[in-house]
Amino acid sequence: MTIQVKRIQRFLSTGHLFTPSECRIRPATRTQVFRKCSTMQNLDDKPEKGPEFDYQAVQKFHSLLKDHQRRSSMGEAGRTQNSFFDPNLSSDLSRLSVNISPVLVEQVTQKCCSVRYGIPWREALAFFNWAGSQKGYTHSPAAYNEMLDLLGKVKQFSLAWDLMDEMKKENILITIKSFSILVRRYARADMATEAIYAFNRMEDYGCQPDSVAFAIVLSMLCRKRLADEAQALFERLRNRFKPDTVIYTTLIHGWCRAYNINKAQSVFEEMKEEGIQPNVYTYSILIECLCRDNKLNEAEDVFNEMIDSGCSPNTVTFNALIRAHVKADRREKALQVHNQMKRFGCLPDLITYNFLIESHCRDEKLDHALKLLDQMASKGVHPNPSSFNPIFKCISQLKDVNAAQRLFSKMKDLNCAPNVVTYNVLMDMFSQIKSTDMVLKLRREMEQSGCEANINTYRILIATFGQFGHWNQMYKLFKEMAEEKCIRPTPTVYKMVLDELRKAGQMQKHEELVDKMDAKGYFKRPWEAKSRTKR
C-alpha cells in the first residue's frame, strides 16, 4: 500500500470528513483507497440498500410506530429493556405481514432516529424487541448499532448498556464502531467522564482499543468542545498510543472548537517541537480558527508559514480566508483571495461559490450573485440550498414575486431540494404581501417533500393567520408546534396567540393554553391569569 493510501485510510478511520477538493487523489490511488476502506468499520457508514431493502415497508412500520406514539404511552422510562413490549403494538406489527430482515430493522430504527423532535424511541425499542422475537430472525451487528445510536440520542444510556450486554451474551460482534457510537452520544450529551468510561470498557466486551479507537474518542470529545477532557486523556495515554499528525490535529481542532485559540497555538507549537510535521488539515484548521476570531493578520502569518514549509494549501484553506473577508464585508479582499486561489491551482468548490454569492447579496448586487450561480452550474459544481437562500433573501427584501418564482423554478430544474430556510424566506415574503394562498401552498409542498418545520415556520404561519384574526388556525398551529412537534415556542409567538384568543373572547382556550405551557415549564402563568383564576 502506498504512503498516500495509508495516510488517507488512517484519516478516514478517525471519523474525519473531507471533500474531494481538499485532497487531490490520482485515480489509481483513489481505487486503492476505496478497496481498503470498503473493509473498514467507518463510524458514519449506513446499511446499504441491497435486495432486502423495501422502502415502502420501512414507511409502513415507521408510520405505525409514530401512530402508536401519538395514541398511547408505554410507561415510565426507568424500566429495563426487556419490559418494552406492547401487546397492542406487537399485534399491529404482525398484521403488516412483512418479511423481517436485518436491513429492514436497521432502516426503520434509523428513520425513527432521524427526526430532531419527538423521537418514538419507546416504540422503536418495542419494534426492535418484537423483530428479535420473530422465528428465524437474528439482529445483525448493524441493527444493534442503529438501536444503540437511537438510545444514545435520547440519552437512554442505561438501556444502551443493556443492549451491549445482550450483544455480548448473544455473541454478536462488538466492534470499535459500537463503542464509537456510545462515545459520540455521551460527548454530545456533555458527559465526558462517561465517554471516557465507555472507551475504557472496550476490553470488557472483547474489543481491543488501538490507536484508531484512541483517535476516535479524542475526536468525539473535541467535536463537542470537550477539549480539556480530550487533552487530559491524551496526556494520560500518550505513552501507550504514540502521538502522530492525526492526533495532534484532532487536539488542535478541539481547542479551536472550544474557542481557546491560545491553547490551540500552544499544541501546534508542541507538535512541531516533537518533530511531527503539520499537514494541510492542521494548517487549515488553525487558519480557520484565527479567521473566526478576527485575527486575520495571524491567519495570514500561518498561511505564509504553510507555504514556506512546502505544504500546499487546498480549497478549504482558501475558503476560511474568503469567509473571514465576506463576514467582515471586505468583498474586494475576498475576490483577491479567490484570484490567489486560482493561481495555486485550487478549483473553487460549493463552499467557495456560496461565500462569494453571499458577498454579492450583502452588497445587494443581485445580478452578480445570479451570474455566479450560473457559473457554478456550468463548472459542474452542483448548488445546494445555501447557494440560493441569500439570493431569495435579497429578492424577498425587494418583494419581487416574479423573480422569486423564477428562481424557485430554477432551483427545482437543477434538482436542488429547498430546505426549511428556503421555504421560510418565501412564506415570509408572501405573508408580508398577504398572499395566504401561496403561504399555504408552500407549506403543503414543504410537508410533501419531507422538509421538517422549525420554530420560524410556525411563527410565519401563525402571524399569517393573525393578520386576518383567524384565532382557530393560530391555536391549532400552536398546539401542533408545542405538543405534537415538541418545539418550544418563543415568547413572541405565545403572546401573539394569547392576544388573539382574548380578542376573540375564547377565554376557555386561553386558560387551557396557559395551563399547558405552565405545566410544560415553557412559560410561567401570567399574573392576570392567576388573579382571574382566584376570583
Side-chain angles (χ1 to χ4, degrees):
M1 199 190 314
T2 66
I3 293 174
Q4 190 183 17
V5 172
K6 285 182 180 178
R7 181 169 62 83
I8 297 168
Q9 183 188 354
R10 177 68 182 277
F11 201 76
L12 284 170
S13 70
T14 65
H16 289 276
L17 300 177
F18 57 92
T19 62
S21 61
E22 291 178 54
C23 184
R24 300 196 179 282
I25 308 172
R26 293 180 291 106
T29 304
R30 190 183 300 118
T31 302
Q32 292 180 62
V33 172
F34 289 163
R35 284 176 181 166
K36 292 302 298 180
C37 290
S38 63
T39 63
M40 291 170 56
Q41 291 285 349
N42 193 310
L43 180 63
D44 294 317
D45 283 347
K46 298 296 180 186
E48 291 190 10
K49 300 175 184 178
E52 297 177 279
F53 180 75
D54 184 344
Y55 179 76
Q56 290 186 343
V58 171
Q59 287 293 102
K60 286 179 182 177
F61 279 114
H62 181 257
S63 297
L64 180 60
L65 297 181
K66 288 292 289 182
D67 186 51
H68 268 263
Q69 182 195 32
R70 283 189 291 267
R71 289 191 288 109
S72 64
S73 170
M74 294 179 65
E76 296 300 319
R79 299 180 293 179
T80 61
Q81 179 205 344
N82 290 331
S83 68
F84 282 87
F85 186 82
D86 178 13
N88 295 327
L89 178 56
S90 298
S91 176
D92 288 346
L93 289 168
S94 299
R95 276 198 290 270
L96 288 180
S97 300
V98 175
N99 290 328
I100 299 297
S101 71
V103 173
L104 179 67
V105 174
E106 291 166 43
Q107 291 293 323
V108 171
T109 309
Q110 188 185 114
K111 190 169 180 64
C112 289
C113 187
S114 65
V115 295
R116 184 175 297 179
Y117 308 105
I119 295 173
W121 68 270
R122 299 173 190 272
E123 290 74 16
L125 187 52
F127 162 74
F128 188 83
N129 289 335
W130 170 83
S133 69
Q134 299 305 295
K135 188 177 179 180
Y137 172 83
T138 304
H139 288 308
S140 66
Y144 274 107
N145 286 341
E146 288 294 345
M147 183 50 67
L148 278 174
D149 192 41
L150 187 149
L151 292 172
K153 186 172 183 177
V154 295
K155 301 180 183 179
Q156 294 294 325
F157 293 109
S158 176
L159 293 175
W161 282 109
D162 286 346
L163 206 63
M164 292 286 281
D165 290 336
E166 181 182 311
M167 292 173 74
K168 183 179 179 180
K169 181 181 176 182
E170 298 294 330
N171 293 318
I172 301 295
L173 180 66
I174 299 176
T175 64
I176 289 173
K177 179 174 181 179
S178 305
F179 279 95
S180 298
I181 289 167
L182 279 177
V183 169
R184 174 164 57 102
R185 289 304 181 186
Y186 273 130
R188 287 188 176 180
D190 292 327
M191 300 169 73
T193 303
E194 290 80 357
I196 295 168
Y197 169 78
F199 172 73
N200 291 334
R201 288 205 64 190
M202 287 179 70
E203 290 180 280
D204 296 343
Y205 289 83
C207 187
Q208 187 66 32
D210 56 14
S211 57
V212 171
F214 183 53
I216 288 173
V217 73
L218 289 178
S219 178
M220 295 306 168
L221 292 170
C222 288
R223 286 182 185 182
K224 284 304 294 178
R225 300 184 175 89
L226 300 173
D228 280 312
E229 291 81 353
Q231 187 73 41
L233 183 64
F234 168 74
E235 298 297 345
R236 182 161 61 86
L237 298 176
R238 66 186 301 165
N239 292 328
R240 182 178 175 186
F241 302 109
K242 187 178 178 181
D244 58 11
T245 303
V246 171
I247 286 176
Y248 268 113
T249 300
T250 299
L251 288 172
I252 291 168
H253 187 220
W255 287 115
C256 287
R257 286 186 60 79
Y259 307 111
N260 192 332
I261 185 62
N262 291 332
K263 187 63 178 177
Q265 288 174 304
S266 174
V267 174
F268 180 67
E269 293 303 322
E270 178 190 315
M271 177 184 186
K272 292 185 289 185
E273 288 169 8
E274 291 289 325
I276 298 173
Q277 181 62 39
N279 63 15
V280 64
Y281 306 104
T282 320
Y283 281 114
S284 297
I285 287 166
L286 192 56
I287 288 169
E288 182 177 13
C289 185
L290 289 165
C291 286
R292 288 180 182 274
D293 205 33
N294 295 319
K295 295 180 177 179
L296 276 172
N297 291 334
E298 290 183 51
E300 288 174 352
D301 288 342
V302 175
F303 178 79
N304 292 330
E305 178 189 321
M306 179 184 188
I307 302 300
D308 293 341
S309 70
C311 182
S312 298
N314 62 14
T315 304
V316 173
T317 320
F318 284 108
N319 283 346
L321 294 168
I322 291 172
R323 178 193 180 279
H325 291 304
V326 169
K327 297 301 180 185
D329 289 324
R330 290 192 285 264
R331 191 175 69 82
E332 292 301 323
K333 189 65 178 175
L335 293 175
Q336 286 175 21
V337 175
H338 180 225
N339 291 330
Q340 186 182 19
M341 177 182 181
K342 289 188 283 188
R343 287 197 298 273
F344 271 88
C346 288
L347 295 175
D349 65 1
L350 174 64
I351 295 171
T352 318
Y353 279 112
N354 286 356
F355 283 145
L356 294 173
I357 287 171
E358 182 185 343
S359 176
H360 288 308
C361 289
R362 280 170 174 251
D363 285 349
E364 297 181 355
K365 295 187 176 180
L366 187 57
D367 291 341
H368 288 73
L370 290 168
K371 283 178 183 177
L372 264 181
L373 191 64
D374 291 334
Q375 185 186 111
M376 69 188 292
S378 68
K379 297 287 185 182
V381 180
H382 191 73
N384 69 0
S386 296
S387 312
F388 286 90
N389 290 341
I391 306 177
F392 276 122
K393 288 176 183 176
C394 205
I395 291 171
S396 177
Q397 289 172 357
L398 299 171
K399 293 185 174 55
D400 191 339
V401 173
N402 292 330
Q405 289 176 332
R406 285 196 301 271
L407 188 63
F408 197 59
S409 296
K410 183 173 187 174
M411 189 177 191
K412 291 181 177 179
D413 290 342
L414 290 172
N415 294 318
C416 179
N419 65 8
V420 65
V421 176
T422 317
Y423 283 113
N424 287 349
V425 170
L426 290 172
M427 284 194 290
D428 194 35
M429 182 186 73
F430 283 111
S431 177
Q432 287 180 39
I433 62 174
K434 298 188 177 181
S435 180
T436 310
D437 289 343
M438 281 303 300
V439 173
L440 296 179
K441 181 182 177 182
L442 285 164
R443 168 78 195 282
R444 284 193 298 270
E445 183 178 320
M446 184 179 180
E447 289 178 332
Q448 290 165 3
S449 69
C451 183
E452 199 173 344
N454 63 14
I455 180 62
N456 282 330
T457 314
Y458 284 101
R459 176 187 60 77
I460 293 162
L461 290 168
I462 289 170
T464 300
F465 285 112
Q467 294 177 101
F468 304 100
H470 293 170
W471 64 266
N472 52 340
Q473 291 295 333
M474 295 173 71
Y475 181 70
K476 181 181 175 183
L477 283 164
F478 189 90
K479 287 188 68 178
E480 177 187 313
M481 171 184 64
E483 296 177 16
E484 185 177 331
K485 300 292 184 182
C486 301
I487 299 175
R488 188 187 185 109
T490 62
T492 304
V493 173
Y494 182 49
K495 183 177 183 302
M496 195 188 306
V497 175
L498 291 183
D499 287 349
E500 206 59 46
L501 288 172
R502 281 198 296 270
K503 285 180 189 176
Q506 297 292 323
M507 297 312 299
Q508 183 178 346
K509 292 189 182 299
H510 180 283
E511 291 300 297
E512 287 174 0
L513 191 59
V514 167
D515 287 339
K516 285 180 181 178
M517 294 300 102
D518 187 35
K520 281 180 173 287
Y522 287 167
F523 301 102
K524 294 290 183 184
R525 170 175 277 280
W527 181 85
E528 296 84 4
K530 283 186 179 179
S531 61
R532 192 161 45 245
T533 303
K534 289 177 183 177
R535 289 198 297 270

